[in-house]
């Protein structure tokens, strides 16, 4: 049900409808049958207001309203008398979470809190980011996407279908926030390693933007998640009575391209040319096409290509510190030759070129193996990584033994293809083999951390896309596997781009982002190739500072005046979890005295 409150200039706070509206707003519960949205509109201006404050349900503090706020807003008595601190609210939140063991149940509970009290949600998420990031993002978000229509409570984000072609700008006008700075958009065709989930893929943009705020302090109201629905080729969803998208096959005609063109134009027309547009989980072919098509026209990047590349290269550079071996001396074999593999490979080539190697020589260091075997024939976007056939290579194990790589990187999404024999072969070829199993979610990872460490006697340098627990070895050592999570990259890059007014994001920005060295020697000795997730806010801020300095030095920034102290500027504008006051500013005019009116 949808509630529309149209208020004229003479509306009184004592009107019972005002109190009932606020009570519904402040006490809405996740189990409530009211799954619609409420708008409070000032008749004179057409804007959504609550007594002069631009407020949404998720931005109210619940029982943390002060006594004065309750009285002035006309809600005194509609809440229990106790005035709680955010500390107490967070304690209740954490206690309820600890009672839950099922990750999907935790996801539903967390998303419900986000809907009711945004700042409390982000406080708890930031305080326990290592435990809760796997819930709000990979791997649990993948499960949540597959069950989206079955666990649905309230809509989040903007849904645009191919039937809306010609009207996308008017749909953007329906979004209540007017100062959007970052958009994350998906068409749901390739959600993590789970395939085509159609509109069920909306959980990915929502989850990504949660990390924009939690990791980098980007204001949540400036973030817009979007799902573009052109149908799905997933037969199971087309038969699912709870599916929430169009019941049709994917439209792969020119209409699809025209729809994406219209969307891009509408976003910059409404929010500005420097609005960041992040593409997420598009099919491989479309991901590369759109990146090539739009990167010089809009402020855009593809996290699956560029973000994954940056975090993988950061892991290789950390391994370089352990080995004392420059990246130019490595030979890399990929399992998978899609958008992630090509993005990583291209960025590795850039890093090798920065060290003085030619592009041709750098490309010779990189090999790819996909479902058809070793790449020795030209395919889409893969031309630079085609090599002469090295001989009889029928399996990935054969490729390892023939090519003798120093590093293997799995981005196939096909499960445990780094077999025990493959891992043992890497251990026999290298004193410290580099093994990155980056596919998501956890079930799709190419191997487990335990297999990688135990089969190489703890000698390997391991990273994964989804989290694995620390591994205890027979000699008593405990190794902590690094999680090559894109969250180390995209929030900090996004913050820098937004604050500096960058209009086009080059790959050099992502190369710069990988060079932020925040690992200690002690953390490296523990097996880590990435900083602890508990430090991710500081990691993101340091990255943003470095990238902002870089884009201003290269003339890529368009926001002026240029901040003199960039670190101080960035830290001063990041969003925080403290509750805002709901009281209007009250003051006296200087020199004014109240005078009685004489008869």
């Amino acid at each position: 049900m949808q509630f529309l409150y149209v208020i004229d200039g003479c509306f009184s706070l004592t009107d019972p409808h005002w109190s009932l509206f606020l009570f519904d707003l402040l006490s809405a519960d996740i189990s409530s049958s009211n799954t619609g949205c409420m708008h409070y509109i000032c008749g004179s201006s057409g804007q959504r207001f609550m007594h002069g404050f631009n407020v949404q349900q998720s931005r109210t503090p619940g029982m943390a309203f002060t006594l004065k706020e309750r009285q002035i807003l006309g809600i005194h008595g509609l809440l229990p008398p106790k005035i709680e601190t955010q500390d107490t609210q967070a304690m209740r939140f954490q206690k309820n979470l600890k009672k839950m063991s099922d990750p999907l149940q935790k996801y539903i509970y967390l998303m419900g809190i986000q809907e009711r009290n945004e700042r409390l949600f982000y406080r708890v998420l930031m305080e326990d980011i290592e435990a809760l990031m796997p819930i709000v993002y990979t791997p649990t978000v993948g499960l949540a996407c597959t069950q989206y229509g079955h666990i649905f409570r309230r809509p989040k984000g903007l849904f645009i279908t191919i039937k809306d072609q010609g009207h996308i700008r008017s749909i953007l006008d329906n979004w209540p926030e007017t100062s959007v700075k970052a958009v994350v958009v998906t068409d749901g065709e390739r959600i993590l390693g789970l395939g085509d989930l159609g509109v069920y893929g909306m959980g990915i943009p929502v989850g990504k933007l949660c990390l924009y705020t939690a990791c980098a302090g980007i204001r949540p109201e400036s973030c817009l998640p979007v799902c573009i629905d052109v149908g799905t080729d997933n037969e199971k969803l087309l038969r699912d009575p709870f599916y929430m998208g169009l019941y049709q096959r994917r439209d792969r005609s020119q209409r699809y391209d025209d729809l994406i063109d219209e969307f891009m134009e509408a976003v910059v027309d409404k929010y500005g040319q420097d609005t960041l547009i992040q593409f997420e989980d598009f099919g491989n072919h479309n991901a590369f096409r759109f990146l090539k098509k739009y990167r010089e026209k809009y402020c855009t990047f593809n996290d699956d290509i560029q973000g994954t590349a940056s975090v993988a290269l950061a892991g290789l550079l950390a391994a370089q510190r352990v080995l004392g071996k420059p990246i130019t001396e490595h030979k890399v074999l990929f399992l998978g030759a899609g958008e992630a593999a090509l993005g990583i490979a291209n960025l590795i080539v850039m890093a090798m070129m920065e060290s003085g190697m030619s592009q041709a020589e750098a490309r010779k260091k990189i090999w790819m193996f996909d479902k058809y075997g070793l790449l020795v024939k030209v395919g889409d976007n893969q031309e630079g990584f085609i090599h002469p056939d090295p001989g009889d290579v029928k399996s990935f194990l054969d490729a390892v033994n023939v090519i003798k790589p120093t590093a293997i990187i799995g981005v196939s999404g096909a499960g445990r293809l780094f077999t025990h024999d493959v891992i043992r072969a890497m251990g026999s070829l290298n004193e410290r083999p580099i093994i990155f199993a980056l596919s998501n979610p956890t079930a799709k990872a190419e191997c487990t951390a335990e297999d990688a460490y135990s089969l190489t006697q703890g000698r390997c340098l391991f990273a994964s896309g989804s989290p694995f627990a620390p591994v205890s070895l027979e000699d008593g050592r405990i190794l902590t596997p690094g999680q090559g999570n894109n969250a180390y990259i995209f929030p900090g890059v996004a913050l820098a781009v937004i604050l500096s007014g960058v209009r086009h994001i080059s790959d050099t920005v992502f190369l710069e982002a990988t060079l932020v060295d925040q690992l200690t020697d002690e953390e490296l000795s523990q097996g880590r190739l990435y900083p602890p997730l508990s430090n991710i806010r500081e990691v993101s801020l340091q990255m943003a500072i470095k990238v902002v300095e870089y884009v201003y030095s290269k003339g890529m920034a368009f926001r002026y005046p240029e901040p003199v102290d960039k670190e101080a500027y960035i830290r001063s504008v990041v969003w925080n979890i403290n509750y805002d006051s709901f009281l209007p500013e009250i003051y006296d005019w200087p020199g004014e005295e109240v005078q009685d009116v004489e008869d």
Side-chain angles (χ1 to χ4, degrees), residues 118-139:
E118 200 168 55
R119 292 182 187 264
L120 178 61
F121 165 79
Y122 282 110
R123 170 178 171 162
V124 174
L125 177 58
M126 289 162 58
E127 286 182 349
D128 199 10
I129 192 77
E130 287 199 75
L132 297 182
M133 185 184 287
I135 304 296
V136 300
Y137 201 60
T138 183

Side-chain angles (χ1 to χ4, degrees), residues 51 128 213 218 235 239 247 385 389 407 410 413 436 466 478 513 573:
H51 189 43
D128 199 10
T213 300
I218 297 172
E235 292 286 352
R239 296 192 302 268
Y247 283 91
F385 304 104
D389 193 334
F436 286 3
S466 289
I478 299 176
V573 298

Side-chain angles (χ1 to χ4, degrees), residues 499-551:
L499 294 182
S500 59
V502 169
R503 294 181 181 175
H504 310 293
I505 307 172
S506 73
D507 284 336
T508 58
V509 168
F510 287 93
L511 182 60
E512 194 70 18
T514 66
L515 303 178
V516 180
D517 187 3
Q518 298 192 56
L519 267 173
T520 66
D521 291 339
E522 181 181 354
E523 287 166 345
L524 285 170
S525 70
Q526 296 169 355
R528 294 184 182 273
L529 296 179
Y530 300 95
L533 277 175
S534 57
N535 297 344
I536 197 164
R537 170 61 75 92
E538 185 59 27
V539 169
S540 297
L541 292 182
Q542 290 294 337
M543 182 178 297
I545 292 163
K546 189 172 181 64
V547 172
V548 166
E549 290 172 346
Y550 174 78
V551 295

